[in-house]
Amino acid sequence: MSIHDETEADTRAERIDPVLAAAGWGQNGSKVRREVICPGRIQSGGTRGKGLSADYVLIHKGQKLAVLEAKRAGVSHRNGVGQAKDYATRLGSRYAYASNGLNWYQIDMAKGAEGDMDLPFPTPDELWDRTFADQNIWRERFGAVDFETDGGKWELRYYQHKAVNAALEALAKGDRRILLTLATGTGKTSIAFQIAWKLFQAKWNLSGEPARRPRILFLADRNILADQAYNAFSAFPNDAVTRIDPDTIRKNRGKPPKNASLFFTIFQTFMTGEAGPVYKQYPPDFFDFIVIDECHRGGAKDESEWRAVLEYFEPATQLGLTATPKRKHNADTYAYFGEPAYTYALRDGIEDGFLTPFKVRQMASTIDAYVFDGSDEVLSGEVETGDTFGEGDFNTRVIIEERELARVREFMGQIDQRHKTLVFCATQVHAALVRDQINQVKVSQNPDYCVRVTAEDGAIGDQHLRDFQDNDKTIPTILTTSQKLSTGVDARNVRNIVLMRPIRSMIEFKQIIGRGTRVYEGKDFFTIWDFVKAHENFNDPEWDGDPIDPEPPKPGPTVIPPNPSDPPEEPDGGDEPKEKIRIKLADGKTRAIQFIATTTYWSADGKPISAQEFLKRLFSDLTGLITNEDQLRKVWSDPDSRERFLKQLADRGYDDGRLTDIRRLVDAPDSDLFDVLGYVLFTHAPKTREDRAEVVKGEGLEGVEHDLKALLVSILDAYEENGEAELATNKLGQFLTAQYGSVGEAKNRLGDLPEIKAAFRKMQSELYSV
């Protein structure tokens, strides 16, 4: 067989696999894997952007030492160099290789040296020694412990693998303060588990010798986070894991547990106790390794009481987990732990397809600000004519229930009320008001459709939250809260996040966004309903989110900015101010509240851009694919080439959702996408789908047999109603089955399948002929 007849699979099996086997790969603990690096960005309609897969990943002692990209023997081995470098960068591999089985190319990603290489291929030990010139006994011991994958039921994602190894590498080198920064929803608890698993199995401890198993402490600031972590560590032996909580201490006669390897607690428990702080009942060198979850929230702040806990256990190696990149709000965290050993940003998670994209609806209204003019009824408190209230004042200084009800009616009228939704309110009292208003306007007849979950709700609220997190349960459907749910809610099917209070920091904004990013089957995106201009956080130079087709509203009338001296948000469990101003709007004002919508779009770097800028970007991208009108018509008239072209657009970020938005932008919602693109590129006035279909029905089906003509007319009817997707090649079989019961019966009535396909294609050629 000529090399030009070989497939890539042939080349791999007959040329590349034997070379790797001869070098010892796949033997004595080394591994050769084909790895799906990422599934591709989630797009509308259950589709995804382009995913990435590495042909060969060479693993030895738990480290991904090299990536090899294969090409068939009939093409140049250099064709795989770009992919090999990209994959090696993503996976953190020192070496990248490209081969067609005849020639081999090597890249040292650390030194930048590259070029053709001669066989034999390096052995696992040779590649290990090249990668790690400095020998480290703990690196070897950690590498000897396999990751815990529940018998192969799941695998670490590439960035999780990199995060674990980055932390272990720092620890092996003797670093005592380690930081990992990964976006919410990317599995920081799973990463902490794998690190603990390796330490436990390798018997790492502060003595430096594997004489005993380590004592590992997992510290959080909320019970829900400690509970989630405790449950996630179920692979450890039962007697190795314990909780440090009031019940356990009480049962142990006031003493915290010490006979275990893994301990889980919250700062609040650790810092209290009848005989003094619980943590001081442990010697300072008791714990070998401490994991601080959500460490940006206070544990590393200089003035924090929690900092005293970390300083008390100063001998321990401490690992901080956070979702927030370094900024002025959390500078103490970075000063304490140092620069991250590994970072995986929100943008990375969305682009890779491990996190769900989002849309933003900016909900401006005629009552975003309020000036008391004396015509409204004052129910309590003191207010003078001319007093002005901005967003930060509402529900902290002044309460206008009609204003909140108008907002509730607005988003409840637009969402799918079956979708799980989180509503963030200004205070616990505000959360109760919004809960009641949602239940007053809901379609559901279930009294627990919307519930409040705040500190005041205690055990009942915690149960509501557990039910909400259960994806098999539909009730409760909506949770209102003030502060409690901004972090730590692992609910994968959240479809809406409603912001009814100002978001005062980028850290909190990212945490709240993270409530919706978790991936769930059938969830193409989630929507942020922004009543409080939180979208302005996207203008922050360090924002990395990249929302999709945001659908905000027109800035309504001039809005007075919030008072810069707004009081701080009420913490969960805080007392309400004694006297708030309560105002009842005059009836005419209530009926006059309006929400005015427009659409804002988002560039590839996650910044808001105008509709005009969005169309300019589309024009630029299209001119790279289509050179003239005849080419567009030729590409679009053939269903197969049209499918390939749409795939190219999707790879550039224009999925079905964005293409639908483009129709709306050029005011052509009933037009074929062909006409929309023709307008953008060549300024041709768009025709409607009905116009095109009627011309073909009248003149384009002459000479077509009666039964076949009836089929084509029914396809054109579907096209008029639903768009060009009805003209895809794979839809033809569905039309035949729907009309005749089976493809076989259709052939009996209409003739051979090639003839039917030819008529189907000719109809489309006629459809786009002018």
Side-chain angles (χ1 to χ4, degrees):
M1 179 173 65
S2 165
I3 62 170
H4 298 289
D5 296 325
E6 280 189 24
T7 65
E8 184 178 305
D10 293 332
T11 299
R12 288 175 49 140
E14 297 173 16
R15 300 180 185 274
I16 296 177
D17 290 355
V19 169
L20 296 178
W25 287 98
Q27 305 162 34
N28 301 319
S30 68
K31 298 175 182 177
V32 179
R33 287 184 178 171
R34 181 177 179 88
E35 179 166 336
V36 176
I37 298 173
C38 64
R41 180 182 174 122
I42 297 170
Q43 298 179 339
S44 61
T47 61
R48 283 185 177 267
K50 186 177 181 180
L52 299 176
S53 296
D55 289 332
Y56 296 89
V57 178
L58 306 182
I59 305 170
H60 188 42
K61 300 179 183 178
Q63 300 278 356
K64 297 177 181 178
L65 301 181
V67 173
L68 168 59
E69 181 62 20
K71 297 299 176 185
R72 61 186 176 87
V75 302
S76 170
H77 64 300
R78 301 179 190 277
N79 288 3
V81 168
Q83 287 171 278
K85 288 181 178 181
D86 179 31
Y87 300 161
T89 299
R90 288 173 179 270
L91 299 180
S93 300
R94 170 71 182 269
Y95 290 95
Y97 294 90
S99 176
N100 62 358
L102 303 172
N103 299 293
W104 298 72
Y105 197 88
Q106 174 182 269
I107 306 102
D108 182 336
M109 300 296 293
K111 294 183 177 180
E114 59 182 273
D116 286 328
M117 60 169 280
D118 295 324
L119 296 178
F121 195 84
T123 68
D125 285 337
E126 287 172 343
L127 215 52
W128 176 273
D129 291 340
R130 291 185 196 176
T131 301
F132 301 109
D134 61 317
Q135 297 301 308
N136 185 296
I137 188 63
W138 279 113
R139 183 191 295 134
E140 300 271 353
R141 287 169 178 163
F142 294 149
V145 177
D146 287 334
F147 290 102
E148 167 53 35
T149 60
D150 194 14
K153 292 181 181 177
W154 65 283
E155 292 292 335
L156 277 75
R157 295 169 177 174
Y158 81 89
Y159 64 84
Q160 293 173 334
H161 189 279
K162 285 181 73 174
V164 171
N165 278 343
L168 292 174
E169 181 69 12
L171 193 149
K173 290 179 178 179
D175 291 352
R176 306 243 322 280
R177 302 293 178 264
I178 305 167
L179 183 66
L180 296 177
T181 302
L182 296 101
T184 299
T186 53
K188 289 191 290 295
T189 303
S190 296
I191 290 168
F193 163 80
Q194 294 292 350
I195 293 171
W197 182 261
K198 291 257 188 177
L199 300 184
F200 181 83
Q201 300 295 345
K203 294 186 177 180
W204 174 90
N205 61 75
L206 289 177
S207 74
E209 296 296 330
R212 63 170 176 82
R213 300 205 185 273
R215 289 187 288 266
I216 299 172
L217 173 66
F218 189 98
L219 264 176
D221 70 337
R222 297 185 181 180
N223 274 314
I224 187 171
L225 297 176
D227 289 342
Q228 286 176 182
Y230 181 82
N231 294 332
F233 281 60
S234 59
F236 285 91
N238 289 336
D239 61 356
V241 183
T242 189
R243 285 294 306 269
I244 305 173
D245 56 23
D247 285 344
T248 304
I249 295 171
R250 193 178 307 113
K251 292 175 183 177
N252 205 27
R253 299 180 180 179
K255 296 180 180 179
K258 295 182 180 179
N259 189 24
S261 292
L262 293 102
F263 302 77
F264 296 80
T265 194
I266 60 174
F267 277 104
Q268 294 86 336
T269 297
F270 233 29
M271 294 187 299
T272 58
E274 294 180 3
V278 168
Y279 72 88
K280 289 191 175 180
Q281 296 190 47
Y282 293 94
D285 61 354
F286 182 82
F287 296 108
D288 300 282
F289 191 74
I290 300 177
V291 179
I292 303 96
D293 194 22
E294 306 290 0
C295 62
H296 61 272
R297 282 217 298 270
K301 289 184 179 178
D302 290 335
E303 70 278 10
S304 171
E305 292 180 70
W306 303 352
R307 178 69 166 267
V309 176
L310 303 186
E311 290 176 344
Y312 179 80
F313 294 111
E314 191 276 336
T317 296
Q318 298 175 13
L319 170 69
L321 302 177
T322 183
T324 58
K326 183 179 181 180
R327 30 190 331 99
K328 62 182 181 181
H329 305 293
N330 62 351
D332 288 338
T333 301
Y334 282 74
Y336 183 79
F337 287 103
E339 291 302 309
Y342 181 71
T343 297
Y344 187 72
L346 177 61
R347 169 188 299 285
D348 299 327
I350 290 175
E351 289 303 319
D352 284 345
F354 295 120
L355 297 177
T356 305
F358 54 92
K359 298 185 177 183
V360 181
R361 285 188 178 271
Q362 301 162 22
M363 309 301 290
S365 80
T366 54
I367 196 169
D368 285 351
Y370 173 76
V371 180
F372 182 69
D373 61 6
S375 64
D376 301 319
E377 181 181 356
V378 180
L379 302 177
S380 66
E382 296 181 0
V383 62
E384 296 182 4
T385 300
D387 283 353
T388 299
F389 301 94
E391 189 63 57
D393 298 311
F394 287 105
N395 304 294
T396 55
R397 291 176 56 206
V398 61
I399 297 174
I400 303 176
E401 291 192 9
E402 296 90 344
R403 175 184 186 269
E404 307 310 304
L405 182 58
R407 289 182 165 187
V408 166
R409 283 177 171 156
E410 185 68 17
F411 78 77
M412 287 292 287
Q414 294 190 46
I415 69 171
D416 183 331
Q417 293 192 19
R418 298 169 298 178
H419 286 171
K420 292 190 176 183
T421 299
L422 293 173
V423 184
F424 289 91
C425 304
T427 67
Q428 297 185 80
V429 170
H430 184 214
L433 170 65
V434 173
R435 172 201 61 198
D436 297 342
Q437 290 176 336
I438 290 173
N439 283 325
Q440 290 163 20
V441 304
K442 69 183 188 302
V443 174
S444 170
Q445 297 180 355
N446 193 300
D448 287 328
Y449 171 79
C450 178
V451 298
R452 184 183 73 161
V453 178
T454 66
E456 288 181 353
D457 296 293
I460 294 176
D462 290 342
Q463 184 58 53
H464 285 321
L465 177 56
R466 286 191 290 271
D467 291 339
F468 181 83
Q469 291 174 295
D470 187 339
N471 293 307
D472 293 328
K473 294 181 179 179
T474 59
I475 299 294
T477 307
I478 299 181
L479 302 187
T480 67
T481 189
S482 55
Q483 303 285 333
K484 186 170 183 177
L485 304 184
S486 60
T487 60
V489 182
D490 187 6
R492 293 184 295 131
N493 200 17
V494 171
R495 304 294 183 102
N496 298 288
I497 293 175
V498 183
L499 304 178
M500 295 182 69
R501 66 165 168 86
I503 309 300
R504 300 183 182 278
S505 77
M506 176 62 78
I507 290 176
E508 183 183 25
F509 184 62
K510 284 195 171 185
Q511 291 288 346
I512 289 175
I513 297 298
R515 299 311 104 216
T517 55
R518 286 170 172 80
V519 174
Y520 190 74
E521 184 177 356
K523 177 180 168 184
D524 298 336
F525 63 91
F526 67 99
T527 303
I528 301 163
W529 301 82
D530 180 11
F531 288 93
V532 294
K533 294 184 172 55
H535 64 274
E536 292 174 358
N537 281 296
F538 293 129
N539 293 316
D540 187 286
E542 293 191 38
W543 167 255
D544 64 354
D546 194 12
I548 61 172
D549 347 294
E551 307 223 5
K554 242 172 218 185
T558 302
V559 177
I560 301 170
N563 187 332
S565 61
D566 288 338
E569 295 173 81
E570 173 204 28
D572 278 326
D575 295 330
E576 286 286 305
K578 296 301 181 184
E579 182 76 331
K580 286 186 180 177
I581 301 166
R582 296 180 180 272
I583 293 174
K584 180 177 176 60
L585 294 181
D587 183 57
K589 288 187 180 179
T590 300
R591 287 185 279 108
I593 296 175
Q594 294 181 4
F595 291 84
I596 309 167
T598 188
T599 301
T600 303
Y601 298 85
W602 302 83
S603 66
D605 59 359
K607 305 298 182 186
I609 58 175
S610 68
Q612 184 178 8
E613 290 170 321
F614 185 69
L615 283 177
K616 283 183 179 178
R617 178 185 166 219
L618 172 64
F619 178 81
S620 175
D621 287 343
L622 284 174
T623 52
L625 297 173
I626 299 294
T627 56
N628 56 54
E629 184 179 350
D630 289 340
Q631 184 189 7
L632 176 62
R633 193 179 307 280
K634 181 179 179 182
V635 166
W636 205 261
S637 298
D638 179 87
D640 294 333
S641 64
R642 181 172 65 243
E643 192 70 24
R644 289 192 295 272
F645 178 65
L646 288 172
K647 179 65 168 60
Q648 288 178 302
L649 286 179
D651 288 343
R652 285 164 171 75
Y654 300 100
D655 61 8
D656 289 344
R658 291 199 174 190
L659 294 177
T660 298
D661 256 351
I662 292 166
R663 294 181 209 267
R664 200 160 47 238
L665 265 181
V666 302
D667 195 24
D670 298 321
S671 293
D672 193 298
L673 187 58
F674 169 79
D675 289 287
V676 173
L677 299 179
Y679 174 80
V680 172
L681 279 170
F682 313 115
T683 65
H684 293 324
K687 298 179 180 180
T688 66
R689 294 192 298 272
E690 182 181 3
D691 290 339
R692 288 192 173 278
E694 291 307 313
V695 170
V696 177
K697 289 177 186 177
E699 304 172 3
L701 299 179
E702 293 181 2
V704 180
E705 293 292 334
H706 177 73
D707 285 348
L708 183 55
K709 183 175 183 179
L711 171 69
L712 298 178
V713 167
S714 69
I715 294 174
L716 288 169
D717 288 341
Y719 160 77
E720 285 186 49
E721 182 71 23
N722 303 313
E724 62 277 350
E726 300 293 339
L727 304 179
T729 300
N730 60 6
K731 295 286 280 189
L732 179 58
Q734 297 176 28
F735 282 113
L736 294 174
T737 302
Q739 193 129 334
Y740 298 103
S742 69
V743 174
E745 181 59 27
K747 289 166 62 177
N748 291 335
R749 297 281 297 276
L750 305 177
D752 291 338
L753 202 55
E755 295 177 12
I756 301 172
K757 288 182 177 178
F760 180 64
R761 289 174 175 274
K762 185 174 184 300
M763 177 198 74
Q764 297 195 41
S765 180
E766 293 287 343
L767 191 67
Y768 299 112
S769 61
V770 292

